[in-house]
Amino acid sequence: MTRAKARMHESRSMEHGEGPATVLAIGTANPSGAIVPQDEFADQFFRVTKSEHLTYLKEKLKRICQKTGIEKRRFHMTEDILRAHPEFLDRELPSLDARIDIVATEVPKLAASAAAKAIAEWGRPATDITHLVFSTYSGCRAPSADLQLASLLGLRHSVCRTILSLHGCYGGARALHLAKDLAENNRGARVLVACSEITLVCFGGPDGGNLVGHALFGDGAGAVIVGAGPLDAGERPLFEMVSATQTTIPGTEHALGMQVTGGGIDFHLAIQVPMLLGHNVEHCLLDAFASSAAAVGDDDAGDVAWNDLFWAVHPGGRPILDKIEAVLKLEPGKLAASRHVLREYGNMSGATIVFVLDELRRRRREEEADRDDDHQLAEWGAMLAFGPGITIETMVLRIPRAN
Ligand SMILES: CC(=O)CC(=O)SCCNC(=O)CCNC(=O)[C@H](O)C(C)(C)COP(=O)(O)OP(=O)(O)OC[C@H]1O[C@@H](n2cnc3c(N)ncnc32)[C@H](O)[C@@H]1OP(=O)(O)O
């Protein structure tokens, strides 16, 4: 190598962060409105949508609700909003503008509540954030929720913003993957990931095709601060983001989808989704662990027993978790953090994975306090999230020993 080339190489490597990116802080938030118990949802939903006469669909929604593994959900939507917007009940009536008017304010506000908690935990000023990656399906406007969030938090005007739209339930994991790439390639970068989802854009009266979506989805926001070394004295790594991959299952474009229409956003969830994920998840994990072995320069690191890991799986639905547990032969309790989040909040699309990471570290602290000296807690883990494509985001995580 010539001296000039060597100098360029050296200065390039000085531009990169040290080591893998890490999760430095996590915050979550939900709308402050009513909490809806899942066993009351069908009665309430058919009453407020004035659909009591559709007794067959109501009974079906009750059967579905019983099998979701959900106990309660939080929504921004209220009966007052519905009274002001009767057009939200009829998909044939134009209502997209009115829905977007509401979520354009509420989506960044909810994200700001989650982000304020993450920033407080991080301990540095919001103006030290260099990049913002915002993911939502609830917005169709520019400038969009990322700019509003930056202004609500008082981020600096030079913050580099990216908005990810309509990635659905893998939006949070995609945003974390992107944050990892940004942090590792820009020395000193501190990336705020924010995911905020409000189902008001999808709300509508019942029809045969949308009952599962109504039974499953809830509102919430998650925020994460991501950065690579060198870390400041007060910064504490929660999860190292060792390697990340994205895979699309060929020929499944029509199995999962979202469609923006004049009457709001429609979801399509094919009945085969849990089975398709079950068939494909193991090879995604094997690929991700092979990449992690290359990343840490240790051939043995790709050689993993699934039960030796901790797990952060997007709880897309109870049968998805059951299927993954079955194909990987996971011991009961391995997906406890995912099942807890599903039970307490429902599927909050892209934001859900942040809740799962938060729950995982909460449980970890309890286990750490309770464990005896002989019992080693899992050091390595896997994060999985899925959405339209069908796309599977996989990330290999590691909890640094000091935590
Ligand atoms: C868009 C994104 O990006 C979002 C993501 O998170 S991706 C993942 C989204 N999640 C899913 O696709 C999985 C959703 N499915 C579920 O949670 C469950 O199947 C469920 C709660 C709906 C039912 O639980 P189950 O164990 O399958 O019960 P099962 O008795 O077989 O089905 C109950 C009823 O639901 C119906 N059903 C199940 N899955 C369905 C689907 N995808 N669409 C329509 N109906 C469905 C069944 O036909 C059955 O109807 P009947 O009672 O009239 O016979």
Side-chain angles (χ1 to χ4, degrees):
M1 209 186 286
T2 64
R3 202 174 295 170
K5 259 192 177 164
R7 263 205 307 273
M8 198 168 77
H9 181 74
E10 195 181 321
S11 87
R12 274 279 155 86
S13 63
M14 289 298 291
E15 291 166 13
H16 291 170
E18 287 167 10
T22 59
V23 168
L24 296 170
I26 303 174
T28 64
N30 299 95
S32 52
I35 299 174
V36 182
Q38 189 77 340
D39 57 3
E40 292 172 20
F41 179 75
D43 282 333
Q44 206 179 99
F45 178 69
F46 276 74
R47 179 175 58 75
V48 301
T49 59
K50 301 182 174 51
S51 311
E52 296 283 15
H53 57 290
L54 301 173
T55 48
Y56 169 75
L57 290 182
K58 184 170 167 184
E59 287 313 307
K60 180 161 175 138
L61 183 61
K62 281 189 172 172
R63 285 198 297 281
I64 289 174
C65 282
Q66 280 165 5
K67 297 201 161 175
T68 50
I70 298 170
E71 272 178 18
K72 49 185 177 290
R73 289 178 287 161
R74 279 92 166 153
F75 298 103
H76 179 74
M77 178 65 101
T78 59
E79 289 190 49
D80 282 347
I81 297 178
L82 270 185
R83 268 191 288 278
H85 294 281
E87 72 277 18
F88 288 179
L89 297 181
D90 185 349
R91 283 277 183 208
E92 301 303 314
L93 295 176
S95 62
L96 187 63
D97 284 353
R99 291 172 196 259
I100 296 297
D101 272 348
I102 298 172
V103 293
T105 309
E106 297 304 327
V107 162
K109 242 166 77 182
L110 193 58
S113 310
K117 291 179 195 163
I119 292 168
E121 182 191 350
W122 178 42
R124 287 177 57 178
T127 43
D128 283 0
I129 290 165
T130 56
H131 297 73
L132 168 62
V133 182
F134 196 120
S135 174
T136 185
Y137 65 73
S138 325
C140 309
R141 200 175 260 178
S144 42
D146 57 326
L147 180 58
Q148 278 208 51
L149 176 63
S151 134
L152 287 170
L153 296 174
L155 304 188
R156 52 166 107 142
H157 293 300
S158 58
V159 73
C160 291
R161 293 177 288 109
T162 304
I163 183 121
L164 306 178
S165 180
L166 289 170
H167 286 252
C169 297
Y170 75 97
R174 180 71 204 108
L176 288 167
H177 186 165
L178 188 56
K180 166 180 165 56
D181 292 344
L182 288 167
E184 288 173 4
N185 286 291
N186 296 278
R187 195 177 183 83
R190 290 295 177 265
V191 188
L192 171 63
V193 167
C195 312
S196 181
E197 313 287 17
I198 293 187
T199 49
L200 184 146
V201 281
C202 324
F203 188 87
D207 67 47
N210 65 11
L211 292 182
V212 174
H214 286 310
L216 211 54
F217 295 116
D219 297 356
V224 177
I225 309 274
V226 174
L231 300 184
D232 266 21
E235 290 182 320
R236 209 168 55 91
L238 301 173
F239 298 99
E240 279 180 10
M241 307 159 96
V242 183
S243 68
T245 59
Q246 184 188 92
T247 308
T248 310
I249 310 175
T252 61
E253 297 90 319
H254 305 295
L256 255 184
M258 301 161 83
Q259 173 80 37
V260 182
T261 72
I265 293 181
D266 288 335
F267 275 98
H268 166 65
L269 311 171
I271 206 157
Q272 298 83 3
V273 169
M275 181 265 296
L276 288 165
L277 290 171
H279 284 172
N280 287 278
V281 85
E282 190 158 23
H283 77 79
C284 295
L285 288 161
L286 290 169
D287 285 352
F289 276 90
S291 308
S292 86
V296 297
D298 174 0
D299 289 346
D300 293 339
D303 214 3
V304 282
W306 302 136
N307 274 307
D308 290 346
L309 304 178
F310 63 85
W311 289 87
V313 180
H314 167 62
R318 197 229 350 112
I320 295 179
L321 296 180
D322 293 348
K323 200 80 192 166
I324 290 175
E325 204 171 76
V327 296
L328 301 176
K329 301 186 177 61
L330 295 180
E331 288 157 7
K334 278 286 169 187
L335 301 186
S338 302
R339 289 191 194 277
H340 172 89
V341 170
L342 183 66
R343 192 166 59 241
E344 294 298 312
Y345 304 95
N347 177 345
M348 297 165 288
S349 197
T352 325
I353 198 68
V354 180
F355 281 71
V356 175
L357 290 173
D358 198 25
E359 178 61 18
L360 204 55
R361 60 103 171 232
R362 193 188 65 74
R363 286 171 182 250
R364 178 75 173 206
R365 279 183 190 149
E366 282 179 8
E367 286 166 8
E368 198 65 67
D370 291 347
R371 89 183 165 95
D372 55 52
D373 287 345
D374 299 338
H375 182 65
Q376 284 291 327
L377 299 177
E379 179 182 358
W380 292 82
M383 183 180 90
L384 285 167
F386 348 90
I390 289 176
T391 308
I392 304 181
E393 280 278 343
T394 311
M395 191 179 281
V396 176
L397 300 172
R398 185 178 158 267
I399 298 182
R401 277 292 176 209
N403 291 291

